[in-house]
Amino acid sequence: MATAKHILVINGPNLNLLGTREREHYGSDTLAAIEARLAEQAGRAGARLDTVQSNSEAELVERIQQAGRDKVDFIIINPAAYTHTSVAMRDALAAVGIPFVEVHLSNIFAREAFRHQSYFTDLAVGIISGLGARGYELALAFALQHSKQS
Ligand code: DQA
């Protein structure tokens, strides 16, 4: 029997404040509520879902390296502010070679110029930006169907 698909959802700095933080950009769902919906969605599909949020770049790099050792099948990542700054997280994703989708709650291309640049997009399978919390669910639906070959 095939082993259950293992998916990791990574959220970067300040996303622990979802629900109260700049709701005009990020909506009113808490991260806990978003993660609970994702857990349900993964559970229905018989997949294993892990989640992590950290405000620390070093911790996020370590977690990506750990995903490589754990042979995680797919990553969904909202690097938050590190989207625009982190060569270290980009290099970690390139090193482990795990396919990933980049998610942003807001449309980063419709905001300040410094948010238009991402260190992740060219390595990503794809990007979802501006669909709010729904973006995570759509990314997970994709991840659940994504085969190792594709
Ligand atoms: C964000 C967009 C980033 O520019 C910002 O720094 C965030 C959240 C988003 O989900 O829209 O913290 O990644």
Side-chain angles (χ1 to χ4, degrees):
M1 214 180 85
T3 51
K5 184 163 259 189
H6 187 179
I7 297 165
L8 174 64
V9 179
I10 300 176
N11 277 292
N14 300 308
L15 293 172
N16 55 314
L17 300 180
L18 286 181
T20 56
R21 172 192 183 205
E22 296 179 277
R23 285 192 223 173
E24 65 285 8
H25 288 305
Y26 305 122
S28 53
D29 277 338
T30 62
L31 185 57
I34 293 169
E35 287 179 344
R37 287 203 299 271
L38 295 178
E40 230 177 79
Q41 189 180 344
R44 281 197 301 273
R48 170 175 170 195
L49 186 90
D50 291 334
T51 59
V52 61
Q53 187 280 327
S54 176
N55 297 325
S56 151
E57 185 176 27
E59 205 174 298
L60 292 164
V61 168
E62 295 289 354
R63 193 63 190 83
I64 293 165
Q65 291 185 9
Q66 182 66 46
R69 290 190 290 274
D70 293 347
K71 308 235 180 305
V72 164
D73 296 303
F74 203 95
I75 290 175
I76 295 165
I77 185 166
N78 183 347
Y82 290 139
T83 306
H84 320 296
T85 64
S86 185
V87 177
M89 284 172 64
R90 174 200 169 87
D91 285 353
L93 284 163
V96 298
I98 299 170
F100 70 93
V101 165
E102 176 182 348
V103 172
H104 300 283
L105 294 141
S106 64
N107 179 353
I108 58 173
F109 304 102
R111 298 182 63 192
E112 304 96 317
F114 71 86
R115 294 187 204 274
H116 300 179
Q117 145 107 4
S118 166
Y119 280 102
F120 297 82
T121 308
D122 63 305
L123 293 182
V125 178
I127 177 172
I128 299 174
S129 186
L131 303 188
R134 246 335 243 135
Y136 290 97
E137 292 160 29
L138 295 167
L140 180 55
F142 178 82
L144 290 167
Q145 290 186 346
H146 186 270
S147 74
K148 284 181 187 177
Q149 297 76 31
S150 61

